[in-house]
Amino acid sequence: MSEKKPPVDETSSGTLYFPKTVDETVDLILAELSLEEMASFARTTEENLAMLSHLLEVVVKTKIEGSTLNQGLVDDCRRISGNPDLDVSAASKVVIEAIWNRVRETHRLRVVK
């Protein structure tokens, strides 16, 4: 079984790396998910997204928290949401929605005729 990476990755120099954009965060989180997890997430309806967001919120908050270290990501979440006063919880929802949109594009099962 492969070992999953920690929520905040270390670079080869040993320093902590914090993603600066929603896209970078989505890439890091998707790298931590299995193919089954991504396909399952892709099948989730918008109505059920709120339930799943609680599961991912801890991971996402870890990437966002410490806004002094990660102001770029907070700013990107605010830009995407259009809300300049977005807090960490709401910012994590922006990232979760971006993850959901990405896996729906890349991992949704389609009927082939």
Side-chain angles (χ1 to χ4, degrees):
M1 181 178 275
S2 66
E3 190 174 314
K4 293 197 178 205
K5 296 178 185 178
V8 178
D9 300 317
E10 290 190 23
T11 64
S12 59
S13 65
T15 58
L16 292 177
Y17 170 74
F18 291 94
K20 303 214 179 352
T21 66
V22 170
D23 282 337
E24 283 182 26
T25 307
V26 169
D27 290 342
L28 282 174
I29 291 172
L30 289 180
E32 296 171 9
L33 297 178
S34 71
L35 183 59
E36 284 180 37
E37 290 167 326
M38 286 188 274
S40 178
F41 196 41
R43 289 189 305 267
T44 301
T45 63
E46 190 168 3
E47 294 79 32
N48 292 331
L49 188 59
M51 290 189 311
L52 278 179
S53 67
H54 293 297
L55 301 173
L56 282 174
E57 195 166 348
V58 173
V59 174
V60 174
K61 277 186 175 181
T62 303
K63 303 246 184 253
I64 297 174
E65 298 235 279
S67 60
T68 57
L69 293 173
N70 203 4
Q71 191 61 47
L73 178 55
V74 173
D75 290 343
D76 198 39
C77 288
R78 289 175 176 158
R79 179 189 61 77
I80 289 169
S81 71
N83 180 355
D85 300 319
L86 204 66
D87 64 9
V88 171
S89 285
S92 68
K93 288 177 175 58
V94 170
V95 174
I96 290 165
E97 189 170 319
I99 294 168
W100 181 61
N101 287 328
R102 173 94 56 89
V103 296
R104 284 179 50 224
E105 291 174 8
T106 60
H107 289 82
R108 184 186 286 176
L109 297 177
R110 293 172 175 82
V111 176
V112 178
K113 294 183 180 185

